[in-house]
Amino acid sequence: MSVRVRFAPSPTGFVHIGSLRTALYNYLFAQKNNGKYILRVEDTDRNRYVEGAIEGMLTSMEWAGVNHDEGVVLNGENLEQKGDFGPYIQSERLDIYKEYINILLENGKAYYCFCSKERLDEVREEQREKGFTGGYDGHCRDLSKEEVEAKLEAGHPYVIRLKLPENKDIKFTDIVRGDVVVNTADLDDQVLMKSDGFPTYHFAVIVDDHLMGITHIIRGEEWLPSTPKHVYLYEAFGWDAPQYVHLPNILNSDHKKLSKRQGDVAVEDFLKKGYLPEGLVNYIALVGWSPEDNQEIFSMEELKEKFSLKRISKSGGVFDVNKLNWVNGHYIREASVDRITDLAIPYLIEAGYITEDDSKERYDWLKDLVSVLQDRISYVAEIKEKANIFFTPEIELKDDESKELIKVEHLPQLLDAFEAKVKEAEAIDEVFGKKVFKEIQKETGIKGPNLFKPIRVVLTGEVHGPDLPLVIKVLGSENIFKRIQYVRENLI
């Protein structure tokens, strides 16, 4: 049987970084096995539905390059569906669920429950006081056919629950967790259809996965406790269950589940900060999965080739922002200057350094600026901080060495010579930046580090950094004069 996997998010808000990883692993597994990757929208929880969440999720997945073969797609501003197993939105499949819930009712595998919310709350409170784990007490399990029909005719609100057998071991094998056995004594009769006529996740997911021919369920470990009920539902219908793969949680640095309280967790957060999709995808692939060798930088094609479910870890993976920045920084350095410049322009405008007109009229200059800083940023939004040296007359001395160099005895002589050369120059370009030091050396006898290190500190506040001739070109004569004046008045 050909591999068919699915990513089935609920449109309840932002796309969590863990959701991106789940989608990525499904996509990689399908790609490696020449299978199909389906994107299905599970919108049966109408109370948590967020307008625009589907569109936001599809935009994030397209940005990340995690593209599906079937399911819900965004065509311009319109939601559409492609594939032969639709509809791919659960709220459009209600008639299908009604058909299959009736099969369970007829076979005695499900039953009507007329318990009010007040009664259920009382039962839970009583269980809590006795130290029991909360669960439905089976009050309506054995209502007679006549009692059920009478309540239905009287218009009593109801849900439909799964009728689990008593004292039955439910067994399944998870590729990550191994063999799992749970007795029905530790489970309760799950609600399958809610009073509003919508199915719960636990029912709809079984019907949809079966009808869509899903062969592998790759999802987060938070669904592991519910899986025995899902396995029993397959058995109740007489269907073969798919293979289960439950992924470890993504953890904060304190080894607790990654949450928004500790920082960025949404794909949109990283997109807004100027992370590159290939950087985020490369890193997130390694949080919970490891290759057989020590390779850390992967293109999408390499991930498709090397990804294996058997290399997924049982234990949670820590989301290390520093490691993400290292990986993303690699891709920024590898990217073209044009690409990073185009990404950087909105941040430079936001910081007030340039205007929209500047971004067009001074584009070549902006490319030079970006090329100076490209090796020094981990994500594009960092350019707002790094570019400050090109837009203010002040410099900030970064370390003790720079503070020592700004005090060297020959600095006033150097500044006079450098300022004179800038005034004489027909153009402040890289050619000037390269020859000016040879000329100053010839005239003053100052050479090597004693020459260029103090000048670098005057221009940037740092002893080490980008190519100095390019820095001089980007600064231009006006900024160089302001920088020299600032140093003379404030630092010497």
Side-chain angles (χ1 to χ4, degrees):
M1 184 183 295
S2 61
V3 165
R4 287 178 60 83
V5 295
R6 50 63 168 181
F7 172 58
S10 298
T12 56
F14 63 83
V15 181
H16 191 279
I17 201 72
S19 297
L20 174 60
R21 187 191 64 173
T22 298
L24 176 64
Y25 284 7
N26 275 280
Y27 170 75
L28 294 175
F29 184 67
Q31 288 285 310
K32 184 167 185 177
N33 292 278
N34 297 313
K36 297 293 183 182
Y37 165 53
I38 295 96
L39 192 148
R40 187 175 72 222
V41 173
E42 301 191 340
D43 62 340
T44 56
D45 190 343
R46 306 308 290 176
N47 293 325
R48 298 178 62 216
Y49 180 83
V50 173
E51 194 70 36
I54 299 175
E55 292 85 348
M57 179 267 298
L58 292 171
T59 300
S60 292
M61 293 300 162
E62 182 180 7
W63 172 80
V66 181
N67 301 310
H68 50 288
D69 302 296
E70 299 175 24
V72 183
V73 296
L74 196 57
N75 184 4
E77 297 182 355
N78 300 317
L79 288 176
E80 298 180 359
Q81 300 181 48
K82 63 176 182 178
D84 298 329
F85 293 82
Y88 293 93
I89 298 176
Q90 283 188 339
S91 58
E92 298 178 12
R93 299 173 60 85
L94 299 185
D95 288 343
I96 297 173
Y97 305 131
K98 288 176 183 176
E99 175 187 347
Y100 282 92
I101 199 66
N102 286 333
I103 292 174
L104 293 181
L105 287 168
E106 290 168 6
N107 294 339
K109 304 294 186 181
Y111 61 94
Y112 290 96
C113 173
F114 300 93
C115 292
S116 65
K117 180 180 182 301
E118 291 72 23
R119 182 186 180 278
L120 294 175
D121 288 342
E122 289 175 6
V123 169
R124 290 191 194 99
E125 180 61 25
E126 185 178 330
Q127 290 174 336
R128 189 186 65 79
E129 290 175 356
K130 293 179 179 179
F132 296 157
T133 302
Y136 182 60
D137 62 354
H139 180 73
C140 293
R141 269 178 73 104
D142 299 317
L143 291 178
S144 67
K145 184 178 179 181
E146 292 74 21
E147 287 176 302
V148 169
E149 289 177 351
K151 288 181 179 292
L152 291 175
E153 287 179 13
H156 287 286
Y158 64 86
V159 299
I160 299 175
R161 292 182 180 272
L162 175 65
K163 192 170 189 176
L164 286 171
E166 295 181 2
N167 194 31
K168 175 183 173 65
D169 283 339
I170 299 176
K171 305 175 183 179
F172 66 96
T173 300
D174 184 279
I175 286 179
V176 176
R177 314 283 162 172
D179 293 334
V180 180
V181 181
V182 177
N183 192 276
T184 53
D186 298 318
L187 305 171
D188 70 342
D189 290 350
Q190 178 71 47
V191 173
L192 302 180
M193 294 291 282
K194 296 177 286 188
S195 57
D196 61 4
F198 276 77
T200 60
Y201 167 84
H202 304 282
F203 181 58
V205 72
I206 301 306
V207 173
D208 292 345
D209 285 340
H210 174 73
L211 296 181
M212 294 182 186
I214 302 303
T215 60
H216 295 73
I217 306 294
I218 304 171
R219 61 187 180 188
E221 69 174 318
E222 64 269 20
W223 296 111
L224 190 61
S226 303
T227 303
K229 298 176 185 178
H230 300 172
V231 171
Y232 178 71
L233 268 170
Y234 278 101
E235 182 181 323
F237 278 117
W239 299 336
D240 291 332
Q243 178 67 67
Y244 286 97
V245 185
H246 285 94
L247 308 176
N249 282 328
I250 298 178
L251 308 175
N252 289 312
S253 56
D254 59 3
H255 290 263
K256 294 180 180 177
K257 190 174 180 181
L258 187 67
S259 76
K260 202 166 183 63
R261 287 187 296 274
Q262 278 86 13
D264 297 324
V265 299
V267 174
E268 291 90 337
D269 294 334
F270 296 97
L271 193 160
K272 288 176 182 176
K273 285 190 171 182
Y275 283 87
L276 303 187
E278 57 266 44
L280 186 60
V281 165
N282 184 158
Y283 176 69
I284 203 66
L286 298 171
V287 183
W289 169 81
S290 60
E292 293 183 6
D293 54 23
N294 293 321
Q295 183 176 346
E296 293 183 299
I297 300 298
F298 289 89
S299 67
M300 186 69 90
E301 291 304 313
E302 289 174 312
L303 286 172
K304 292 176 189 177
E305 178 187 342
K306 297 199 174 184
F307 182 75
S308 166
L309 296 177
K310 293 181 180 179
R311 298 289 301 176
I312 293 174
S313 172
K314 289 183 182 179
S315 56
V318 173
F319 190 86
D320 183 343
V321 175
N322 292 327
K323 186 62 176 290
L324 167 63
N325 288 344
W326 177 82
V327 172
N328 198 68
H330 164 82
Y331 286 102
I332 287 180
R333 292 188 293 275
E334 293 290 311
S336 70
V337 175
D338 291 85
R339 180 186 178 192
I340 303 304
T341 301
D342 292 341
L343 291 172
I345 283 171
Y347 299 104
L348 296 173
I349 292 173
E350 180 186 332
Y353 293 142
I354 63 171
T355 64
E356 288 279 0
D357 289 341
D358 289 333
S359 69
K360 301 178 182 69
E361 297 167 4
R362 306 178 68 194
Y363 186 78
D364 288 339
W365 176 78
L366 287 170
K367 280 177 61 177
D368 287 337
L369 182 151
V370 168
S371 68
V372 170
L373 300 175
Q374 192 166 345
D375 289 350
R376 314 190 81 200
I377 57 175
S378 300
Y379 51 93
V380 182
E382 268 192 314
I383 205 160
K384 291 192 294 185
E385 173 190 342
K386 303 290 186 182
N388 186 56
I389 65 168
F390 297 110
F391 296 97
T392 61
E394 300 88 1
I395 61 166
E396 179 185 349
L397 301 178
K398 304 294 185 181
D399 52 37
D400 290 340
E401 188 178 2
S402 62
K403 292 174 183 176
E404 290 174 9
L405 283 167
I406 208 74
K407 300 294 185 183
V408 293
E409 187 176 345
H410 63 277
L411 184 61
Q413 181 186 7
L414 266 183
L415 291 182
D416 291 342
F418 185 57
E419 184 178 43
K421 293 296 179 185
V422 174
K423 287 179 179 178
E424 295 169 4
E426 294 182 4
I428 305 301
D429 53 21
E430 284 185 88
V431 174
F432 168 80
K434 289 175 180 177
K435 72 177 184 179
V436 67
F437 293 106
K438 293 179 181 178
E439 294 176 359
I440 293 174
Q441 176 184 331
K442 187 176 181 181
E443 294 174 11
T444 65
I446 303 168
K447 59 184 179 180
N450 289 328
L451 170 58
F452 61 78
K453 277 191 175 183
I455 294 295
R456 181 186 289 281
V457 171
V458 168
L459 297 180
T460 69
E462 300 179 1
V463 179
H464 309 284
D467 182 50
L468 196 50
L470 188 55
V471 170
I472 291 170
K473 177 185 177 183
V474 173
L475 277 170
S477 57
E478 185 177 342
N479 281 327
I480 290 173
F481 294 146
K482 288 180 180 178
R483 204 64 52 90
I484 291 173
Q485 181 181 353
Y486 177 81
V487 170
R488 282 176 174 152
E489 294 177 355
N490 297 279
L491 299 178
I492 296 180

